[in-house]
Amino acid sequence: MENGRQRPGKGDRTMSGMFDTENKFVNLLAKVGDLILLSILWCLCTMSVLFAGLGWSTVYYVALKCVRSEYGTTFKETGAFLKGNWKQELVLGGITAVYLFGAFSAISFSNSLVQVSGISLVYAILARVLLIPPLLIVPWLFPLFARFTMKSAAFVKTALILSIRHFGKTVLALALLAAAAFCAANVPILLLILPGAVSLCLSYLIEPVFSQYIKKDAVFSAKDIWKISQE
């Protein structure tokens, strides 16, 4: 990936080089088009648990960089991110898949025990508690991967710490994801825009937090450098 990219000329903005990018309506349509393309990519990636995280990280990265900050082009940045990060993302996806399989297996087993005897209620509760950590880190893990470089275990640990330290934003992010999931479940066609739009909205919650640690903590090594608007 290229670091310290210069802001492209007006003719290089996302999907709008052939149009007048000073036209706000045309620029808005171009951004919506980019979000649709990113949402389609997300849908394709989530067909497999192993690639779901890669899809989310890619969509977040490109939505933040190309749509929000208007740096680079959607196709180029998507290809560059996928090429440079798919191996580690598969490791994270594998860890997530194994953990979730274990958690849901424990819940399934606890349900069968409860039907046999009421004394297994404690086990049933403990089995469901296993879902709390992944629930907390969901809003943070893949945006972290999209923005920083560290070892796979460090991603998980950092996401959990951030989810607790910034619990208010974690709740807001989970509410946003839950609302999007509800809308998509009831109106499936919205999947053509929601993943990209939600990632863009999440960036306004998460990026101000990331900017604090970029300044303070050397463990946060930025994968790419570009100006992020905090407005």
Side-chain angles (χ1 to χ4, degrees), residues 51-71:
F51 289 99
L54 180 61
W56 192 343
S57 297
T58 305
V59 171
Y60 182 90
Y61 176 86
V62 180
L64 174 65
K65 185 172 185 178
C66 298
V67 179
R68 178 178 169 183
S69 300
E70 298 184 351
Y71 275 66

Side-chain angles (χ1 to χ4, degrees), residues 123-183:
Y123 179 82
I125 294 174
L126 291 176
R128 285 159 176 78
V129 168
L130 291 175
L131 291 178
I132 294 179
L135 186 66
L136 288 175
I137 70 174
V138 156
W140 300 94
L141 180 60
F142 300 111
L144 267 173
F145 185 84
R147 294 284 279 112
F148 303 103
T149 300
M150 59 185 80
K151 294 181 179 180
S152 297
F155 275 120
V156 177
K157 177 182 177 181
T158 304
L160 184 58
I161 292 173
L162 289 176
S163 70
I164 297 172
R165 186 176 296 176
H166 303 278
F167 187 71
K169 291 200 172 187
T170 301
V171 172
L172 288 176
L174 288 173
L176 176 62
L177 294 173
F182 176 81
C183 291

Side-chain angles (χ1 to χ4, degrees), residues 1 57-58 61 77-86 145-146 223:
M1 296 197 185
S57 297
T58 305
Y61 176 86
E77 298 302 333
T78 298
F81 187 85
L82 289 173
K83 181 179 179 181
N85 298 283
W86 69 271
F145 185 84
K223 284 182 176 175

Side-chain angles (χ1 to χ4, degrees), residues 11 14 17 25 33 35 42 51 57-58 72 75 81 103 106 134 152 157 168 184 205-207 213 220 228:
T14 53
F25 179 70
L35 292 178
W42 182 90
F51 289 99
S57 297
T58 305
F75 286 107
F81 187 85
S152 297
K157 177 182 177 181
L205 279 174
I206 292 175
E207 287 303 313
Y213 296 95
F220 285 84
I228 303 298

Side-chain angles (χ1 to χ4, degrees), residues 15-28:
M15 289 185 62
S16 56
M18 66 184 70
F19 302 105
D20 177 12
T21 55
E22 293 302 318
N23 186 316
K24 293 183 178 180
F25 179 70
V26 171
N27 200 28
L28 175 62

Side-chain angles (χ1 to χ4, degrees), residues 114-127:
V114 170
Q115 293 175 2
V116 174
S117 173
I119 62 175
S120 302
L121 180 61
V122 174
Y123 179 82
I125 294 174
L126 291 176

